[in-house]
Amino acid sequence: MMKFFGKKEKDAIVSIATGTMIPANKINDPVFAQEMMGQTIGFQLEVGEIVSPAKGIVEMIFPTGHAFAIRMSDGTGFLVHIGIDTVELNGKGFKVCVKQGQSVKAGQTIVKMDLSLVQSLGYDTTTMLIVSEPINKTIDYISFGKVKKGQVISK
């Protein structure tokens, strides 16, 4: 098993995208900014490729491609929500690369989004990573700032 900075691969949480990792209070949506769904961080995307934050199972993926959930073997659940109000696009500009129920590795591509198209249609493409279950679990993340997809972001 590979180790990342002393962490076993199965325990590592990785950046879901290349861009700038931001705290929840910098997200332009009150549900995400106030962390109503669980511990939340955001990513201001530079590239429209969204990867799994951890090794686990694709528990749910919206047909529109704008959101998906990953469940780790220890029960930790993650929800990834790509953009704000992007459900309104009905899948336009999104390509789902996995199937529900599929096992995935941390850093594996889940969704590709045509970043320039979605932005040109007036949508905020900030992408949220939420620790949805268990609700009382918190992840210690590295400092906010520039990150690359697949980079370990858990301490």
Side-chain angles (χ1 to χ4, degrees):
M1 181 166 295
M2 286 179 57
K3 289 199 171 216
F4 295 96
F5 307 106
K7 273 194 150 326
K8 288 184 189 154
E9 179 182 359
K10 71 178 185 73
D11 299 328
I13 308 305
V14 304
S15 174
I16 58 172
T18 296
T20 304
M21 190 169 88
I22 60 171
N25 64 6
K26 301 280 192 223
I27 298 169
N28 294 323
D29 181 285
V31 171
F32 298 118
Q34 294 172 28
E35 300 186 83
M36 293 179 184
M37 299 169 75
Q39 180 188 5
T40 304
I41 58 174
F43 295 83
Q44 294 170 327
L45 305 180
E46 290 176 12
V47 180
E49 183 179 359
I50 313 303
V51 303
S52 178
K55 180 181 179 189
I57 302 288
V58 179
E59 198 163 69
M60 179 273 305
I61 189 149
F62 278 82
T64 55
H66 81 283
F68 62 90
I70 302 290
R71 172 90 49 195
M72 293 176 68
S73 61
D74 71 358
T76 304
F78 289 97
L79 174 65
V80 176
H81 194 284
I82 306 166
I84 296 171
D85 297 327
T86 50
V87 65
E88 298 169 358
L89 294 170
N90 292 316
K92 182 177 184 178
F94 290 84
K95 179 180 183 242
V96 176
C97 302
V98 295
K99 293 185 177 8
Q100 196 161 303
Q102 181 176 333
S103 291
V104 293
K105 296 176 185 159
Q108 183 173 337
T109 302
I110 306 294
V111 175
K112 290 184 179 178
M113 174 181 58
D114 184 333
L115 192 60
S116 57
L117 172 70
V118 174
Q119 289 172 336
S120 74
L121 294 171
Y123 289 88
D124 182 333
T125 56
T126 300
T127 296
M128 285 61 66
L129 174 62
I130 302 115
V131 181
S132 55
E133 298 171 282
I135 300 297
N136 61 354
K137 178 168 184 161
T138 55
I139 310 269
D140 288 326
Y141 292 111
I142 62 171
S143 299
F144 295 107
K146 294 277 188 190
V147 290
K148 297 217 177 293
K149 74 174 182 193
Q151 170 187 339
V152 175
I153 58 171
S154 55
K155 289 184 182 175

